[in-house]
Amino acid sequence: MAPEHPTVPAAISDPVNAAILAVSEDRLQGFQSDPFGEIAARSGVAVDVVMERIVAMLRAGTIRRVRQTLMATNLARGALCAWQVPGDKLDAALEFMFRDDPFSGHIVIRSTDAVTPGSNYRLWTTLKVPQGYSLQKHAAFLAQRVGAEAFRLMPARIVFALGVGHVRRRTIEPGERADVPAEPGVGRAAVARAYRAQARV
């Protein structure tokens, strides 16, 4: 006698689950107001089945989490920043940026074994400022505050999102290409502005 509530398949080998994952792993772009509905539309699986299967795969540990990822580059302007700070001020500069500057992150002091181009820039950070504020002005403020002799802002000129696509890629032959080139995470106008800004530095 069959059970009244049969177990919902949770393996990726199940064709319905594979169809859902082939879309949800890396085929959705941007923020989706109805992600489950979008997965259903693209996979051909009813939305209630999509949600049932995702819950089953979560509970079974087949997938670890469900989330939408926001591109931080869309939320605030940012750049990698190299700082030329005298050796006797390095530790204090790191400490200030780590503890007292909310816009600095990934703060490291690089070790250098030889004199090479750029080796005098030993303090490296990432820097982000809220929309409407100037990276250049905030970096200049930090330089004055920590005693940096020079700094170099290196904003990303173009960003690509690398998808997961484990299930979908099983059907792709080695060396096979997509029909269209990859779309970068920033528009052409933003890239042009970044190049012009770099040319003025």
Side-chain angles (χ1 to χ4, degrees):
M1 186 173 180
E4 188 177 346
H5 300 289
T7 303
V8 178
I12 61 173
S13 57
D14 178 87
V16 174
N17 292 345
I20 291 167
L21 292 172
V23 173
S24 63
E25 282 180 333
D26 67 347
R27 303 303 282 178
L28 300 182
Q29 300 295 319
F31 183 81
Q32 301 289 332
S33 59
D34 179 17
F36 298 110
E38 190 65 24
I39 293 168
R42 294 192 191 198
S43 67
V45 178
V47 68
D48 57 335
V49 176
V50 167
M51 290 191 284
E52 176 188 59
R53 293 303 183 93
I54 288 175
V55 168
M57 287 188 280
L58 274 170
R59 287 179 175 161
T62 305
I63 56 179
R64 289 189 296 171
R65 58 182 171 258
V66 175
R67 65 179 181 183
Q68 291 203 66
T69 302
L70 296 176
M71 293 288 286
T73 50
N74 295 335
L75 303 176
R77 294 191 62 222
L80 179 65
C81 191
W83 305 89
Q84 183 177 324
V85 180
D88 60 338
K89 297 181 179 179
L90 263 177
D91 289 335
L94 181 146
E95 195 69 17
F96 176 81
M97 292 186 186
F98 177 73
R99 296 195 180 280
D100 299 316
D101 184 51
F103 306 126
S104 295
H106 300 282
I107 304 154
V108 296
I109 294 176
R110 295 178 59 192
S111 59
T112 55
D113 297 326
V115 177
T116 56
S119 61
N120 52 336
Y121 288 86
R122 293 194 53 208
L123 181 64
W124 288 68
T125 70
T126 55
L127 191 61
K128 280 193 175 293
V129 295
Q131 294 287 353
Y133 287 80
S134 167
L135 272 172
Q136 185 72 29
K137 287 180 180 178
H138 188 66
F141 161 77
L142 288 175
Q144 184 179 31
R145 179 63 179 77
V146 302
E149 297 168 345
F151 64 87
R152 182 175 178 85
L153 288 172
M154 295 166 277
R157 289 177 172 168
I158 204 160
V159 179
F160 289 91
L162 299 178
V164 180
H166 298 302
V167 171
R168 183 175 56 82
R169 290 195 179 116
R170 291 181 179 185
T171 64
I172 298 175
E173 293 296 323
E176 188 176 340
R177 293 185 178 185
D179 296 331
V180 294
E183 283 293 323
V186 294
R188 288 192 180 98
V191 174
R193 285 195 301 274
Y195 274 105
R196 287 196 295 271
Q198 286 290 105
R200 290 196 295 268
V201 173

